[in-house]
Amino acid sequence: MSLMELKDVSVTFDAEQRKGQKVRALVGLNLKIEPGEIVAVVGESGCGKTTLGKVLVDIYQPTEGQALYNGKDLRSLTKEEYRKYRLGVQMIHQDSYAALNPNRTIFQSLSLPLLQHKLVKNKDEAWGLLSELFEEIGLNPARLFLEKYPHQLSGGQRQRILLARALSVRPSLIVADEPVSMVDVSLRISLLDLMARANKKYGISFVYITHDLGTARYIAQHGRIAVMYLGRMVELNQIQAALDKPAHPYFHALIAAVPEADPTLRGGKIAQLPLKSFDMPSVINAPPGCKFHPRCPYANERCGTEEPKLREFRGGLVACHLVETI
Amino acid sequence: MTKPILEIKNLSVDFVLHDRKLRACDDVSLTINRGEIVGIIGESGSGKTTLASGILNLIKAPGRIAAGEVIYHTREGKSVDLRKLKEDEFAKYRWTNLTSVFQAAQNVLNPSLRVKEHFLETVRAHDPKAKESDVLTKARELLSQVRLEERVLDCYPHQLSGGMKQRTIIALSLILNPDIIFLDEPTTALDVITQWYIIDILKKIQKEFGLTMVFLTHDVSIIGSVVDRLAVMYAGQVVEFGPVMDLFKRPTHPYTAGLMNAIPSLRDDVTHRKAIPGHPPDLMALPDACRFSPRCAHFASGVCAGDRAKTDMLYASRPEQLTRCYSWEKVFKP
Amino acid sequence: MKKNRSTASGFRAFFSVIWRNPLSRIGFLILLAFILMAVLGPFFIPTLKSNYAARLAPPSAEHWLGTDMAGKDILLQLILGSRDVLLVAAYAASFAIMFACVVGIVSGLQGGAVDEALMLFTNVILTTPSFPMTMILSMVIRTSNPLAFGLLLSLWSWAGLAKAIRSQVLSLKHREFIEASRIMGISKVNIILYDVLPNIVSYIAVNFISIMKNSITASVGLMVLGLVPFKGNHWGVMINVAISQTGALLGSGSVTYFLAPVVCLMLFQLGSYFFATGLDEALNPRLRS
């Protein structure tokens, strides 16, 4: 039984600007997350990866389909089971400043859930638990950080605090939504290392949502990668296999577009990306058939009318009619 | 034949808050040659954005330029110290000689004007008699250079995506045939594929118009494929400056070396990556030592004493490379 | 232990910001003077004596502000009256804030039909002119009890603040830290107490001062118009009596009788305004350091 499973999940919103129109942020998503594994979810803005993260933490509810925790539908959990789920699945936000209460000290913010859920008996115990946790993730001396307000700390420090907050309730799964994109580049790896350590030491699963393939590869070295496009999952595979031999044409283009710093690893310069058109269509007016076909250099008639389903290919899943021939 | 177009000499920019002074840019000196692309890399607190604002005279209270000169050499051979100009004199140079393109998230576009009105307004601010048809013809040309369709002219900014807005701003910045263009994090808020296209467009435009470009970013990965020379900034100072390939392959400052090593990519050996320990210094409470020393492995191991006085100047480490690390010979292999 | 330390340093930080800003420093001192006058004044002054021989006397060494038409010292009346003035205003502001908070927070957090209903109600109150309504109410509900009077004054002053609190709550609701609290399973009550309230406290404090000064003006206005059966030495009564019974506005010798409370009112307004300018900065931890 998987730790968490999304079964045919679709999430549809009302369009903000245009009344009456619907935005299908997520369509027919299937994903199983096992205990202790790391799954990277990649895609560009508007692909639905953030919505997926919010469905996992039950901030958005599926319009269709089910979200299951330990095999049971979230909507059918008893109060006590739901409480366990709440503590069991946590989230790390992208903007560490917005994710902390600006008018409370770090200790006040982080001790509140511990006290409310009775994970500690009193404030002293909360202090002790948090101090230990802070020292473990490299915020030494803990007292210095616990007494400060969010604006008095740097972005990297705040992001570590978000990780500590998530870890403090002993979760089984952490959804990290672009956790390092607002952190200085020289510090990103140290934060990813902390997450990898938490994964190894406590067996916590991670769903790492990002548009940066480099960091996705770093953290999900032995895990899987899911590629999203316009609300649909178009490829799912072990990460190294997927990066070495991308199956879906969109993923292929995405990899080609990633800049490589080291010139010796760059290979030949790409004169042109394997894409027919530049701009991504809006989620509201998604094209018929395969959502990618207007930009796909290989698209044929069938691609324009029939939406491909995810099917097995080379050990993973791909949603493309022509994947064998490319 | 390399002729300098911009000489920044000993520029210092201070911010004063509640009687405490923060020196965001400390004694920065750089020479930019005509027709080249210079990159400035820096993370938070490095001072790179302040430097760009300082050059373009965009510093507002509580910031002020404390010292230094910014000498601009025009096409006609004149030399002007931009620092000495009054605001209205400087305004003449803005858009016609020096333009800037900032992050897509910072909306420079007026939400109540159509794109074509932006072009007309910009041109008319410098030449009130310009004919509308001339301006729009040029605008159409520029838009096609940035791969935007003509219909964009009739759009309002909110009808355009982030990538389209960015390309529009790039086209707008070129309407008055500028000499030198400053780009501050031009692709940071954009998707990978859009980023690739914009970099491609920038390179093509630079070649076609012979522009000088100053590219500021924190993204090490893209800068390598774009710029000719690179300046690395840390804690308000330039710590290394030289041809980009040399900085990558043979850096002579521990921060540059650390930075190159800290970025995970798609094809490298993952186990070799290492973050730089510690965090950027508090500019209001700088140690009386080399600013990078708290994070430097060579300082920690005793190879270098981190003497502050010795870091007040740059040293020539290789034929065209300058570094602030006075122990570079001990630390880096020749 | 640790909590007390941060509270104490919080107070120190608060006052240092108020002191640092010259305007708010002056405002604070003015308000402090009034509060001291209101609270301690009545204990230290002798009883008011009528002395018809010395009625309507100009300021002198014995009577610093002169006397009224019964020979009673004006300064003493002012001091005695300040207690009622401030008490009524404080009650009015407290009630108004309570109503505004409840309506604003519930409306903002709940949304939907509850929000629409509450906002309809609030808008009706907001669009009816407040002073005439208060006038009518005070004619109908004749009271001289400071609490009741305060409540009456508050009825038409909470609506604007409720809307402002609601929009603050709306903007906070979608902020990531509230979402993070929800993901951590924090109860709704705790979210209101610890996430929402601390972020609107500075807003409320600034508005508290502002509503207080508006209430003083309103209460004085009502008394000048003779609509409130207030006995005693309330400044409004003083002004009313000065105008109606001694012809102060017509240039008679009782001009200090009229001016003294008016000047006090103006000073209080000024003091509140100045103090409020520093209050936002003082309560916001971001602006403090």
Side-chain angles (χ1 to χ4, degrees):
Chain A
M1 183 180 61
S2 315
L3 178 60
M4 232 184 137
E5 185 180 344
L6 295 179
K7 254 189 179 161
D8 278 328
V9 167
S10 295
V11 179
T12 309
F13 298 117
D14 289 320
E16 261 174 40
Q17 270 114 3
R18 303 185 233 178
K19 299 271 172 189
Q21 286 207 310
K22 301 275 182 198
V23 178
R24 304 192 75 197
L26 220 56
V27 177
L29 203 96
N30 285 288
L31 184 65
K32 281 201 184 104
I33 299 160
E34 308 302 329
E37 85 161 318
I38 302 184
V39 178
V41 178
V42 301
E44 298 178 298
S45 58
C47 70
K49 56 192 194 301
T50 300
T51 312
L52 191 156
K54 298 211 177 173
V55 169
L56 287 172
V57 291
D58 204 27
I59 289 289
Y60 292 158
Q61 283 76 46
T63 329
E64 285 163 42
Q66 301 173 302
L68 307 171
Y69 180 66
N70 280 328
K72 291 181 82 169
D73 188 337
L74 289 182
R75 302 271 75 79
S76 71
L77 293 176
T78 65
K79 203 156 166 227
E80 180 55 32
E81 286 171 334
Y82 191 80
R83 194 190 88 98
K84 286 219 176 69
Y85 157 75
R86 254 286 151 257
L87 293 177
V89 178
Q90 285 302 310
M91 179 176 247
I92 299 177
H93 289 88
Q94 175 180 12
D95 187 346
S96 61
Y97 184 65
L100 288 166
N101 189 333
N103 278 306
R104 310 266 292 162
T105 62
I106 300 295
F107 176 68
Q108 288 168 331
S109 292
L110 266 65
S111 58
L112 183 61
L114 297 175
L115 290 164
Q116 190 198 289
H117 291 292
K118 300 209 179 40
L119 295 170
V120 291
K121 285 200 224 63
N122 53 37
K123 285 219 172 94
D124 284 328
E125 254 191 55
W127 186 274
L129 192 153
L130 290 172
S131 299
E132 244 185 76
L133 198 49
F134 272 35
E135 313 225 327
E136 205 183 309
I137 58 171
L139 292 172
N140 279 314
R143 187 177 55 81
L144 213 61
F145 295 95
L146 286 169
E147 287 177 347
K148 288 221 162 96
Y149 286 92
H151 71 277
Q152 295 171 304
L153 301 165
S154 73
Q157 291 163 337
R158 282 196 298 261
Q159 205 65 333
R160 279 179 201 235
I161 288 173
L162 292 191
L163 177 60
R165 177 168 68 178
L167 291 173
S168 69
V169 294
R170 307 231 173 284
S172 337
L173 167 65
I174 292 182
V175 177
D177 191 349
E178 302 268 20
V180 294
S181 60
M182 287 177 77
V183 173
D184 277 338
V185 287
S186 60
L187 301 172
R188 285 182 190 179
I189 293 204
S190 57
L191 207 64
L192 296 175
D193 282 339
L194 283 173
M195 291 197 256
R197 240 207 358 240
N199 165 259
K200 260 212 187 70
K201 187 167 171 198
Y202 301 111
I204 301 176
S205 307
F206 275 87
V207 173
Y208 180 77
I209 300 174
T210 184
H211 66 270
D212 179 349
L213 287 177
T215 53
R217 173 172 171 257
Y218 186 81
I219 192 165
Q221 288 164 41
H222 308 293
R224 294 184 289 159
I225 186 168
V227 184
M228 310 267 307
Y229 188 79
L230 279 186
R232 288 128 177 106
M233 190 184 303
V234 296
E235 188 160 346
L236 177 69
N237 205 346
Q238 290 297 118
I239 196 163
Q240 211 41 62
L243 288 172
D244 287 338
K245 284 211 173 83
H248 197 280
Y250 171 66
F251 195 36
H252 198 97
L254 204 58
I255 292 176
V258 172
E260 172 59 62
D262 191 336
T264 55
L265 294 175
R266 235 178 264 161
K269 244 199 189 146
I270 302 179
Q272 193 71 12
L273 278 188
L275 276 181
K276 256 181 12 202
S277 111
F278 198 154
D279 297 294
M280 193 150 78
S282 96
V283 189
I284 298 181
N285 289 319
C290 169
K291 302 290 158 251
F292 184 63
H293 86 264
R295 302 168 83 191
C296 182
Y298 313 103
N300 65 15
E301 234 183 85
R302 183 175 172 213
C303 303
T305 47
E306 194 190 315
E307 187 164 354
K309 289 217 174 354
L310 269 178
R311 53 200 177 85
E312 298 231 350
F313 178 74
R314 282 213 292 249
L317 298 169
V318 195
C320 176
H321 296 304
L322 306 169
V323 67
E324 287 89 358
T325 56
I326 299 173
Chain B
M1 177 198 52
T2 50
K3 270 170 48 193
I5 182 176
L6 199 66
E7 282 181 275
I8 302 153
K9 291 188 178 158
N10 309 103
L11 192 66
S12 292
V13 181
D14 290 338
F15 284 85
V16 180
L17 291 157
H18 298 313
D19 303 325
R20 285 154 81 196
K21 191 176 73 165
L22 190 153
R23 180 149 282 198
C25 270
D26 195 351
D27 202 40
V28 172
S29 298
L30 284 174
T31 303
I32 298 169
N33 296 320
R34 192 168 274 283
E36 74 171 334
I37 308 181
V38 170
I40 303 186
I41 275 245
E43 301 180 295
S44 55
S46 62
K48 67 177 189 325
T49 303
T50 315
L51 178 64
S53 305
I55 296 171
L56 293 168
N57 207 25
L58 294 169
I59 304 266
K60 293 198 169 48
R64 59 183 202 96
I65 301 184
E69 307 174 301
V70 179
I71 314 237
Y72 167 57
H73 303 278
T74 68
R75 279 185 211 119
E76 298 84 32
K78 227 170 56 161
S79 296
V80 184
D81 183 356
L82 297 176
R83 282 261 296 120
K84 296 210 168 65
L85 296 179
K86 287 201 274 290
E87 175 53 37
D88 48 338
E89 289 171 333
F90 196 104
K92 286 203 217 93
Y93 284 91
R94 232 182 255 131
W95 289 109
T96 46
N97 298 69
L98 300 107
T99 61
S100 54
V101 173
F102 289 114
Q103 216 172 324
Q106 297 175 22
N107 279 313
V108 162
L109 296 172
N110 185 334
S112 54
L113 289 179
R114 288 184 211 268
V115 169
K116 67 176 173 202
E117 285 157 2
H118 281 88
F119 281 99
L120 288 167
E121 257 197 25
T122 310
V123 175
R124 293 229 172 98
H126 289 268
D127 176 13
K129 295 199 211 71
K131 283 216 318 243
E132 179 170 330
S133 52
D134 292 339
V135 176
L136 291 183
T137 313
K138 181 113 198 264
R140 270 184 223 109
E141 245 180 71
L142 288 171
L143 285 178
S144 76
Q145 291 263 357
V146 297
R147 309 210 212 168
L148 279 175
E149 295 165 2
E150 238 186 76
R151 66 172 188 88
V152 167
L153 281 173
D154 291 313
C155 288
Y156 284 100
H158 69 263
Q159 296 172 303
L160 305 172
S161 73
M164 292 168 89
K165 273 199 277 238
Q166 195 65 327
R167 282 177 280 160
T168 307
I169 295 176
I170 293 175
L172 191 60
S173 69
L174 297 169
I175 189 81
L176 291 165
N177 296 321
D179 238 356
I180 174 168
I181 177 170
F182 287 82
L183 300 120
D184 190 353
E185 305 279 12
T187 59
T188 297
L190 303 171
D191 298 321
V192 168
I193 290 183
T194 313
Q195 183 177 275
W196 191 96
Y197 274 107
I198 292 205
I199 303 244
D200 194 50
I201 288 169
L202 286 172
K203 288 198 279 195
K204 290 207 169 82
I205 289 179
Q206 193 267 341
K207 248 210 192 81
E208 169 138 354
F209 293 108
L211 287 172
T212 311
M213 269 188 189
V214 180
F215 201 103
L216 297 101
T217 182
H218 67 270
D219 192 340
V220 184
S221 332
I222 50 173
I223 210 154
S225 57
V226 181
V227 308
D228 302 320
R229 287 195 300 157
L230 181 63
V232 181
M233 285 189 75
Y234 184 79
Q237 297 175 311
V238 172
V239 296
E240 192 158 9
F241 185 32
V244 68
M245 278 311 116
D246 291 339
L247 256 70
F248 267 94
K249 300 268 88 188
R250 304 172 312 164
T252 51
H253 192 284
Y255 177 62
T256 316
L259 207 58
M260 302 306 167
N261 220 16
I263 321 290
S265 73
L266 285 188
R267 293 171 195 91
D268 58 346
D269 183 350
V270 185
T271 54
H272 281 173
R273 294 291 161 205
K274 217 172 96 68
I276 305 181
H279 56 91
D282 179 359
L283 288 176
M284 290 215 241
L286 286 167
D288 188 21
C290 160
R291 286 184 197 184
F292 186 67
S293 53
R295 306 173 77 181
C296 183
H298 310 289
F299 173 76
S301 64
V303 171
C304 174
D307 190 342
R308 207 220 75 218
K310 297 216 186 99
T311 63
D312 279 343
M313 48 182 276
L314 292 167
Y315 303 87
S317 52
R318 301 205 207 280
E320 286 174 52
Q321 220 164 319
L322 291 170
T323 179
R324 197 171 286 272
C325 176
Y326 66 87
S327 304
W328 69 272
E329 285 174 292
K330 279 188 264 178
V331 167
F332 296 96
K333 298 196 290 290
Chain C
M1 13 98 239
K2 282 152 209 132
K3 177 117 193 260
N4 289 342
R5 208 194 307 153
S6 68
T7 319
S9 72
F11 271 124
R12 236 181 299 132
F14 176 80
F15 279 111
S16 78
V17 176
I18 298 282
W19 203 256
R20 196 168 51 204
N21 181 340
L23 277 185
S24 63
R25 189 195 306 186
I26 295 174
F28 175 64
L29 290 172
I30 293 180
L31 291 181
L32 189 63
F34 277 114
I35 293 177
L36 286 176
M37 184 166 85
V39 172
L40 301 174
F43 291 124
F44 289 103
I45 55 177
T47 36
L48 229 39
K49 278 191 313 258
S50 301
N51 182 357
Y52 282 92
R55 50 200 279 260
L56 297 181
S60 64
E62 199 191 319
H63 299 284
W64 291 4
L65 289 173
T67 59
D68 70 354
M69 76 268 163
K72 287 187 267 186
D73 184 287
I74 290 177
L75 180 61
L76 296 186
Q77 288 186 38
L78 210 59
I79 295 178
L80 284 174
S82 63
R83 177 179 275 190
D84 276 336
V85 171
L86 292 183
L87 205 58
V88 167
Y91 280 134
S94 305
F95 280 121
I97 298 233
M98 267 196 316
F99 297 148
C101 274
V102 168
V103 171
I105 293 181
V106 168
S107 212
L109 281 183
Q110 276 300 106
V114 171
D115 180 26
E116 285 190 34
L118 283 174
M119 278 303 106
L120 183 62
F121 177 54
T122 310
N123 280 325
V124 168
I125 304 259
L126 205 52
T127 44
T128 41
S130 63
F131 196 63
M133 287 309 298
T134 322
M135 274 169 65
I136 294 173
L137 276 177
S138 56
M139 287 193 279
V140 168
I141 307 171
R142 315 219 94 213
T143 174
S144 56
N145 175 347
L147 185 80
F149 191 39
L151 178 58
L152 194 152
L153 285 173
S154 72
L155 290 176
W156 247 262
S157 21
W158 60 266
L161 184 60
K163 284 192 97 164
I165 289 184
R166 171 181 173 271
S167 47
Q168 280 280 74
V169 170
L170 281 179
S171 80
L172 281 176
K173 194 160 76 157
H174 297 295
R175 288 273 293 278
E176 273 104 327
F177 71 90
I178 301 239
E179 189 180 276
S181 286
R182 286 170 62 193
I183 297 175
M184 299 225 93
I186 307 280
S187 64
K188 268 218 172 81
V189 171
N190 279 340
I191 289 186
I192 292 181
L193 284 178
Y194 296 108
D195 283 337
V196 176
L197 276 184
N199 283 297
I200 57 178
V201 152
S202 72
Y203 212 78
I204 292 178
V206 172
N207 275 282
F208 185 88
I209 308 277
S210 148
I211 293 182
M212 252 187 88
K213 79 173 162 56
N214 289 342
S215 311
I216 294 183
T217 321
S219 64
V220 165
L222 288 174
M223 286 173 198
V224 168
L225 292 171
L227 293 170
V228 187
F230 226 86
K231 294 187 280 286
N233 303 296
H234 196 288
W235 299 345
V237 177
M238 288 170 74
I239 299 180
N240 173 306
V241 170
I243 295 179
S244 59
Q245 296 183 5
T246 65
L249 289 177
L250 302 169
S252 78
S254 61
V255 87
T256 34
Y257 190 32
F258 171 72
L259 275 183
V262 168
V263 167
C264 276
L265 271 179
M266 282 166 49
L267 267 182
F268 191 84
Q269 301 260 40
L270 211 65
S272 318
Y273 175 67
F274 285 167
F275 182 58
T277 57
L279 204 57
D280 187 47
E281 193 186 327
L283 286 172
N284 188 338
R286 263 162 299 174
L287 299 173
R288 256 188 253 156
S289 64

